[in-house]
Amino acid sequence: MKPNLKNPLRVAIAVTAFALGGITSQAQVLNDWVSSDLLIGFRASGGTGSSDSYLINIGQGSLYDTNKGSFPLSLGNVGSDLAAKYGNDWYSRSDLFWGIFGTSTNTVPILYSSVARTNSNVQSTPPPNVTSTAGTATQITSVTSAFNLLSATANSTNAAFQPNTASPSSYNYQVTQSGTDFGSVSQWNDIQGNLNQILDLYRQSTNAPSWRGGFSLNNAGLIAFNPTIVPEPSTYALLGIGAVLLGAAYRRKANPKESSGFLF
């Protein structure tokens, strides 16, 4: 991402802090959310770190397109942030979840949301059409506007910790209220998954949700995007067998006297 120069006051504070030296020299300027940026949210339902969510700005939704190919995300040391907030065992916790969301500020907003795969090699079921894109976008921008008021972590200029509150500006509030995530009109039953689940990203506006690709997270905190579904090894084996059978059938057709050795 490019350096954030949208907030001159923040830049001035960071420069002044650096000039003063000491601990304040470590101050970092947060890359603010802008229209069509996506955020990843982490939250714990209990235990260590459950009072705060962890939000990461991963840039424009257009970056994640099926034509762009696979790539790792450069977001700073996310693993260190997760360990600092949720403990060194963060990756193995069953009560720690992640989800992806975003919106544009167009008159007719473009919405982004995630669905966790139940099988890592099979695309998830797309979310239903949103009842009101404008209403859902309003709920999302409540969180993204609050994100821009936070401070960057020590390990990433793209990330910040957000205290969990009973306000629509809280990511935790938006994904834990009864009903659907980000308001009653979103139709998003749950944008979250466990940390070892791949999150499929969907884009929608006036059309039905379209799949963009999947996001994965490893135990070092590295996040990667893949716009393809990777078959299981057994699938490759079946494809190989199919190719052999097709080849044998072709040879038999070309030379009827040739015996294939198969009992059919």
Side-chain angles (χ1 to χ4, degrees):
M1 290 185 181
K2 295 180 180 179
N4 174 24
L5 300 178
K6 299 185 296 292
N7 192 325
L9 178 59
R10 283 189 176 185
V11 174
I13 292 173
V15 171
T16 302
F18 182 81
L20 291 175
I23 296 177
T24 55
S25 66
Q26 302 303 313
Q28 299 191 92
V29 179
L30 182 67
N31 282 322
D32 284 349
W33 179 90
V34 297
S35 177
S36 296
D37 276 356
L38 307 183
L39 295 184
I40 294 180
F42 291 82
R43 56 168 289 273
S45 60
T48 302
S50 59
S51 61
D52 296 288
S53 294
Y54 179 54
L55 302 177
I56 312 174
N57 185 342
I58 61 172
Q60 293 282 285
S62 59
L63 293 172
Y64 308 103
D65 188 288
T66 52
N67 296 320
K68 298 293 179 65
S70 306
F71 57 89
L73 279 61
S74 180
L75 301 170
N77 196 336
V78 170
S80 291
D81 277 345
L82 289 168
K85 178 58 62 177
Y86 302 111
N88 290 329
D89 63 340
W90 64 270
Y91 191 73
S92 62
R93 289 181 58 172
S94 61
D95 59 353
L96 188 57
F97 309 95
W98 69 320
I100 306 173
F101 61 99
T103 184
S104 71
T105 55
N106 302 344
T107 303
V108 180
I110 298 170
L111 305 176
Y112 295 89
S113 63
S114 57
V115 178
R117 293 184 197 172
T118 55
N119 183 327
S120 62
N121 305 110
V122 179
Q123 181 184 325
S124 60
T125 301
N129 288 338
V130 171
T131 303
S132 169
T133 56
T136 303
T138 296
Q139 297 299 316
I140 292 174
T141 52
S142 293
V143 178
T144 58
S145 296
F147 173 82
N148 288 352
L149 300 177
L150 301 173
S151 299
T153 69
N155 297 295
S156 174
T157 57
N158 298 310
F161 295 113
Q162 182 190 51
N164 296 332
T165 66
S167 165
S169 62
S170 166
Y171 168 73
N172 184 73
Y173 172 90
Q174 292 286 357
V175 296
T176 58
Q177 293 304 294
S178 59
T180 56
D181 293 349
F182 291 96
S184 59
V185 296
S186 74
Q187 304 299 303
W188 296 342
N189 292 324
D190 194 354
I191 69 165
Q192 302 175 104
N194 293 320
L195 300 189
N196 59 0
Q197 287 183 289
I198 292 175
L199 296 182
D200 282 327
L201 180 68
Y202 291 92
R203 177 188 187 275
Q204 61 181 301
S205 183
T206 56
N207 299 320
S210 63
W211 181 76
R212 316 310 287 172
F215 290 81
S216 60
L217 171 73
N218 71 10
N219 59 7
L222 299 176
I223 300 172
F225 173 73
N226 190 344
T228 61
I229 301 292
V230 181
E232 295 178 342
S234 58
T235 303
Y236 285 117
L238 290 174
L239 290 174
I241 293 172
V244 171
L245 294 176
L246 286 173
Y250 177 79
R251 288 194 302 272
R252 290 181 63 193
K253 183 177 180 180
N255 185 1
K257 294 183 180 181
E258 181 181 347
S259 174
S260 69
F262 291 104
L263 300 177
F264 57 84

